[in-house]
Amino acid sequence: MTALVRVRPTPDSLWGSENLPYGVFTDASGDFRVGVRYGDAVLDLAALLPDPVFARPTLNDFLARGPRYWRETRARVRDLCDTALPAETVFAVDDVRLKLPLGIGDYVDFYAGLEHATNLGRLFRPGGDPLLPNWRHLPVGYHGRAGTVVVSGTDIARPCGQHRTGTDAPVFGPSQRLDIEAELGFVIGVGSALGRPVAVDEFADHVFGVGLVNDWSARDIQAWEYQPLGPFLGKSFATSLSAWITPLDALAAARVPLPAQEPEPLPYLRGDGDHGYAVDLTVSWNGTPVSRPPYAGMYWSPAQMLAHLTVNGASTRPGDLYASGTISGPEPGQRGSLLELCWGGAEPVDLDGTPRTFLADGDEITITATAPGTAGRPIGLGEVRGRILPPHRR
């Protein structure tokens, strides 16, 4: 007779049945498949649900099924949470290995936070208008490198490239101003056809859920290369994504109104049901919390970002990822990048008694987040974590 087990999260668990994020895991068998986190356990959907999409090594085929199937699956999983399950379908979360949950065809990074954009403008253009003329008219973004998006826990080698050292002539070498950017990422479920823009009010028809993102940034390489075409090697070496993807349905209680947008956006950036999310992040540096960025104040919404991304007819596919850009609040302790926290190096961060500015080899950054849950208690969005290694040598 098959042994049965009941998973019983504690009353204050961030991983109750109102959450249920999806990931891709393996046990000792070595076969990657889709699982859902419930309490401190991973439920094996490949064994529990009769659909081959859950036996795949990415979420993509499941995502492509669309919102009705996502809701049906969520309801079935919630029913399973109330029952005893075969022991071989339940794994302790600490006993499994997680991989990048998506096959990411395209990655786009935005610059949607007013405080972050204002802070960088003040740092780089002192005495002038901190915001460039287009910033309040459209969600500024760039097309990133999908092939270097890595799962949380992956070590990050310090990048090398050209940068300046106080003269007009560049030098080549390891970045000395290696930084982080605490962001929220949005995962495309149902793609859109080439030539067909996605309207703001169609956001939930296309976006499945969210993950935490750390968009590692080599500020010295970026500063030399970005004019006139924008970020390239200073960004493309690595972007970290959390292993768990939280469905939008789990964030229903986290919806908040957008801040006032002045001037009023053009019609394609407006919608009847547009909103932001009350997600609270924590950035820890070598285990010490140094910042608590609030997503609720982001100027451009995820629906507006998707509308802008596709308004020229660009297509999207299941598993595509786009990120918010750095999340920073109005207070110094809410800044989502080290560049802002140390104010360009002029105001070092006190890290357990040591003044620090940018990342050193061996440093580890962990970003976690919570949001209001539908059961009246917070839910967790997991973590995105990475440790800096010395550069690869040619």
Side-chain angles (χ1 to χ4, degrees):
M1 180 178 293
T2 300
L4 299 178
V5 296
R6 289 289 298 266
V7 181
R8 300 182 186 276
T10 60
D12 60 350
S13 174
L14 298 175
W15 310 98
S17 61
E18 70 276 21
N19 191 346
L20 302 178
Y22 292 78
V24 174
F25 79 101
T26 187
D27 61 339
S29 71
D31 295 325
F32 281 101
R33 65 266 197 200
V34 176
V36 161
R37 180 163 182 181
Y38 180 48
D40 291 328
V42 177
L43 308 185
D44 184 352
L45 296 193
L48 290 167
L49 298 179
D51 190 323
V53 298
F54 300 116
R56 309 278 164 75
T58 72
L59 294 173
N60 290 39
D61 288 345
F62 167 59
L63 301 180
R65 293 290 184 88
R68 180 176 176 178
Y69 191 74
W70 306 338
R71 290 191 295 269
E72 291 173 351
T73 301
R74 182 172 172 81
R76 293 166 74 186
V77 174
R78 295 187 79 168
D79 288 343
L80 290 171
C81 292
D82 292 331
T83 65
L85 301 173
E88 65 270 18
T89 68
V90 179
F91 299 85
V93 70
D94 291 336
D95 292 342
V96 303
R97 182 160 61 94
L98 300 166
K99 69 181 288 290
L100 191 68
L102 310 169
I104 302 173
D106 280 292
Y107 165 57
V108 171
D109 193 27
F110 283 95
Y111 187 51
L114 177 61
E115 286 79 10
H116 175 68
T118 300
N119 286 339
L120 264 60
R122 288 172 176 160
L123 281 167
F124 298 146
R125 295 181 296 277
D129 189 336
L131 296 180
L132 294 174
N134 65 343
W135 198 90
R136 289 184 182 269
H137 292 275
L138 55 84
V140 174
Y142 70 93
H143 197 277
R145 188 175 181 86
T148 52
V149 179
V150 297
V151 72
S152 173
T154 304
D155 291 337
I156 307 299
R158 181 177 298 274
C160 294
Q162 290 190 28
H163 49 91
R164 286 160 68 169
T165 58
T167 68
D168 290 336
V171 297
F172 178 87
S175 171
Q176 300 303 307
R177 292 168 67 90
L178 187 55
D179 198 0
I180 65 156
E181 291 188 344
E183 307 190 18
L184 198 60
F186 298 89
V187 175
I188 298 291
V190 177
S192 55
L194 184 67
R196 184 197 178 282
V198 176
V200 165
D201 287 335
E202 295 177 316
F203 168 72
D205 296 331
H206 291 271
V207 172
F208 170 76
V210 304
L212 296 177
V213 168
N214 184 351
D215 188 37
W216 306 92
S217 300
R219 299 300 185 186
D220 40 7
I221 296 173
Q222 181 183 357
W224 175 239
E225 74 180 1
Y226 84 99
Q227 298 183 32
L229 293 181
F232 187 40
L233 300 184
K235 295 280 194 175
S236 63
F237 60 96
T239 299
S240 296
L241 175 68
S242 56
W244 296 108
I245 304 300
T246 303
L248 289 186
D249 282 349
L251 295 173
R255 295 176 185 173
V256 293
L258 293 178
Q261 295 182 325
E262 297 292 342
E264 184 179 39
L266 293 173
Y268 80 92
L269 290 171
R270 302 200 298 262
D272 293 334
D274 198 14
H275 58 269
Y277 287 100
V279 175
D280 293 321
L281 290 78
T282 298
V283 178
S284 296
W285 191 350
N286 294 339
T288 299
V290 294
S291 179
R292 301 186 187 277
Y295 187 81
M298 293 293 276
Y299 188 88
W300 294 106
S301 75
Q304 289 173 318
M305 293 181 231
L306 180 60
H308 188 65
L309 190 161
T310 59
V311 73
N312 68 344
S315 59
T316 61
R317 292 167 288 184
D320 282 359
L321 175 70
Y322 66 95
S324 61
T326 304
I327 304 165
S328 292
E331 303 299 325
Q334 297 177 323
R335 295 168 180 168
S337 70
L338 304 184
L339 178 66
E340 296 168 87
L341 282 169
C342 74
W343 206 247
E347 301 173 8
V349 176
D350 183 350
L351 189 64
D352 297 329
T354 302
R356 297 293 305 278
T357 54
F358 297 95
L359 295 172
D361 293 349
D363 282 349
E364 183 173 78
I365 294 290
T366 303
I367 302 170
T368 57
T370 60
T374 56
R377 60 188 178 189
I379 62 171
L381 276 70
E383 68 173 24
V384 61
R385 175 174 49 86
R387 180 170 59 101
I388 302 303
L389 299 183
H392 294 301
R393 296 296 182 180
R394 296 181 63 187

